[in-house]
Amino acid sequence: MSDFNLKAATQEYATRLGDDAVVLGHRLSEWTSNGPFLEEDIALSNVALDYIGRARMYYTYAAELAGNGKTEDDFAYTRDMREYRNLLIHELPRGDFAYTMVRQLLVDVFNTYYLPELAKSADSTLAGIAQKAIKETRYHLRRSHEWTLRLGDGTEASHQRMQRALESLWGYTHELFDADPLELQLADAGIGVHNAALRPTWLAQVSAILTEATLTVPKDDWAVRGGRVGYHTENLGHLLNDMQFLHRAYPGCQW
Amino acid sequence: MVTKSIPVLPFAWYERAQRRKQSALTPIWEVLDQVKDPEIPVLSIWDLGVLCDLQAIDGKYVVSITPTYSGCPAMETIRADIAAALEAAQLQPYEIVTRLSPAWTTDWLSPQGREQLQAYGIAPPAGGGCAHAQGLTPEAGIECPHCSSSNTRRISEFGSTACKALFQCQDCQEPFDYFKHF
């Protein structure tokens, strides 16, 4: 495409990755003071913080590329639901602990393969953010892996909850491997990642962990998409309401 | 079990130390040594590895810092503290830049920083990448900073801050923080 503007596309891509991170980070932060026990409360808050940190780095970069005086806060707090471009799996409500852990497993395995690819990006800032995030994801995955085994192969009740969570999340995983023309062109330009190519490895590792946890890998018989074009589930509206309220009520407030 | 061995300094630390040694800005490095990590106040940002570089470019002091973890909430305070230290020493103009790459690693901790952590009651990161699979926190065997026993167990992968895990000593029974290898 001749009118392909690399800088604008990179800015959009950084914004999308920031949206993914801030939305999941917010969902995880909802466990703060609600964790099943103290250590787990702290762990989930730590993971949330890692994601919010990533969001800040991606947004700061997007703001730098935009070069119009906007800051990371404008990206997080002043964009409406339809302007958010996060993949839907990140915005779904936190659910019970099993649901949160299954989502983390699916996303952590994805990041385990996605981030090393982004770390090779020709864009040094995106590569730098990915290199930091890889190390954190290693810790995240070890934990979601252990919890999956413990709960999947635990009691009848924990097994059921895990399987139920898995069934209701599976249809949202397909979107992780989609790419629109913008992402494809960025991948071709050596800046983005060819997501689709990651699915076989992702599926193999996720399946191995689920099988070890005595869980059944769901069938690929439904899929929901739309996050990257701004079509969201109603949940994102509620999340943004919560997250953006203060900033919208008192623009530019500081303490 | 962690076995005692001759401490071999990571190459990454050696590189940092050389950069500082060869710099002509010794007094300014020393001003920056006053800036401590707000969450571990015994540790200077140099000893922690957050302070990457100091240069004089076009009559301006350029201080490069790097976050430990992506979401490290201490970065804002560290920036403010660097600014305050430089201004108090009348070292202006200056610029504080954040560098993301190469990613911070516990290999950048100075030998002095490791000792200070230990004295403060935090077990310093064990070994380099080869000591544990992928460098992740082991389940047991981190030496207790209080009684030096290696009969310890991990209570939680994530401790009071992102950079620490929580352990307990089975001998003296004290819980302690372990600064994770990262």
Side-chain angles (χ1 to χ4, degrees):
Chain A
M1 228 194 247
S2 55
D3 60 348
F4 184 63
N5 179 333
L6 202 62
K7 191 175 164 191
T10 307
Q11 181 201 326
E12 166 70 15
Y13 192 51
T15 309
R16 292 176 178 192
L17 297 175
D19 290 347
D20 284 336
V22 84
V23 167
L24 183 58
H26 189 87
R27 280 295 180 225
L28 288 165
S29 77
E30 292 171 1
W31 280 102
T32 306
S33 83
N34 291 308
F37 50 88
L38 185 62
E39 285 79 7
E40 195 48 44
D41 201 301
I42 294 171
L44 282 166
S45 304
N46 268 266
V47 178
L49 202 54
D50 286 340
Y51 275 99
I52 290 166
R54 287 177 201 183
R56 295 189 60 184
M57 295 192 287
Y58 286 128
Y59 283 156
T60 299
Y61 186 44
E64 188 187 313
L65 291 173
N68 55 6
K70 291 205 165 150
T71 69
E72 48 173 329
D73 285 351
D74 294 305
F75 281 80
Y77 296 128
T78 65
R79 286 154 63 242
D80 282 325
M81 183 166 100
R82 289 294 302 272
E83 293 170 277
Y84 263 73
R85 290 289 183 270
N86 61 283
L87 299 171
L88 302 175
I89 192 167
H90 300 119
E91 74 194 38
L92 300 170
R94 68 183 156 107
D96 59 12
F97 188 70
Y99 189 92
T100 286
M101 276 305 136
V102 171
R103 168 166 49 194
Q104 284 315 114
L105 178 78
L106 301 172
V107 170
D108 291 343
V109 176
F110 174 77
N111 281 324
T112 299
Y113 297 106
Y114 173 79
L115 291 171
E117 292 303 313
L118 188 63
K120 295 182 215 156
S121 174
D123 184 296
S124 62
T125 307
L126 292 179
I129 298 171
Q131 277 156 17
K132 286 205 73 60
I134 287 169
K135 296 176 155 198
E136 294 156 2
T137 284
R138 230 175 261 155
Y139 277 100
H140 300 173
L141 176 62
R142 180 159 86 166
R143 202 172 128 274
S144 55
H145 181 176
E146 282 174 2
W147 271 116
T148 302
L149 296 184
R150 192 160 151 192
L151 296 173
D153 194 13
T155 65
E156 201 183 322
S158 74
H159 177 88
Q160 270 177 12
R161 283 183 186 227
M162 291 295 279
Q163 189 65 44
R164 206 185 304 145
L166 194 54
E167 301 289 346
S168 55
L169 278 159
W170 196 256
Y172 291 94
T173 60
H174 303 283
E175 205 185 26
L176 291 169
F177 306 99
D178 284 350
D180 64 356
L182 180 137
E183 291 189 12
L184 283 175
Q185 280 174 310
L186 279 178
D188 286 340
I191 290 175
V193 175
H194 282 290
N195 283 7
L198 305 175
R199 188 156 195 269
T201 339
W202 174 86
L203 186 61
Q205 190 176 352
V206 165
S207 303
I209 295 172
L210 294 179
T211 308
E212 191 188 354
T214 73
L215 295 163
T216 310
V217 181
K219 289 195 188 74
D220 291 325
D221 48 8
W222 61 282
V224 185
R225 301 182 147 92
R228 286 288 193 246
V229 288
Y231 287 119
H232 292 278
T233 68
E234 68 172 288
N235 305 297
L236 183 64
H238 295 287
L239 183 152
L240 293 182
N241 226 359
D242 192 22
M243 191 175 90
Q244 298 182 334
F245 166 78
L246 194 78
H247 199 90
R248 286 187 184 272
Y250 306 95
C253 80
Q254 291 196 329
W255 67 82
Chain B
M1 292 291 283
V2 175
T3 48
K4 288 254 180 191
S5 55
I6 300 166
V8 179
L9 292 182
F11 182 68
W13 154 251
Y14 173 78
E15 271 185 323
R16 291 186 72 229
Q18 284 301 104
R19 199 180 314 138
R20 176 167 174 165
K21 211 172 162 185
Q22 287 160 10
S23 161
L25 304 168
T26 308
I28 300 145
W29 282 104
E30 282 165 8
V31 167
L32 294 175
D33 281 340
Q34 297 159 19
V35 181
K36 308 291 180 192
D37 178 272
E39 282 170 350
I40 313 169
V42 287
L43 213 54
S44 75
I45 53 170
W46 165 256
D47 288 319
L48 180 61
V50 161
L51 173 57
C52 320
D53 206 359
L54 166 67
Q55 285 175 301
I57 302 172
D58 299 332
K60 189 165 70 174
Y61 298 114
V62 180
V63 182
S64 306
I65 54 174
T66 191
T68 52
Y69 284 69
S70 302
C72 180
M75 288 305 280
E76 308 289 331
T77 315
I78 290 174
R79 275 178 163 271
D81 291 350
I82 292 173
L86 291 174
E87 282 165 27
Q90 295 182 326
L91 295 165
Q92 279 168 310
Y94 60 84
E95 188 186 352
I96 304 166
V97 295
T98 303
R99 215 191 257 178
L100 295 178
S101 182
W104 177 82
T105 154
T106 40
D107 288 348
W108 291 352
L109 275 171
S110 71
Q112 191 193 351
R114 286 170 177 271
E115 282 169 25
Q116 283 165 331
L117 277 176
Q118 182 99 23
Y120 193 59
I122 300 173
C130 55
H132 311 294
Q134 285 190 311
L136 294 176
T137 311
E139 277 181 39
I142 292 297
E143 189 178 297
C144 171
H146 307 294
C147 74
S148 303
S149 164
S150 291
N151 181 19
T152 61
R153 70 183 179 97
R154 188 177 79 209
I155 299 174
S156 178
E157 182 98 78
F158 296 88
S160 54
T161 62
C163 55
K164 289 176 248 150
L166 198 58
F167 272 73
Q168 186 175 19
C169 177
Q170 318 263 55
D171 285 336
C172 73
Q173 302 299 323
E174 283 291 320
F176 63 91
D177 272 330
Y178 164 61
F179 203 100
K180 286 190 269 197
H181 177 77
F182 194 71

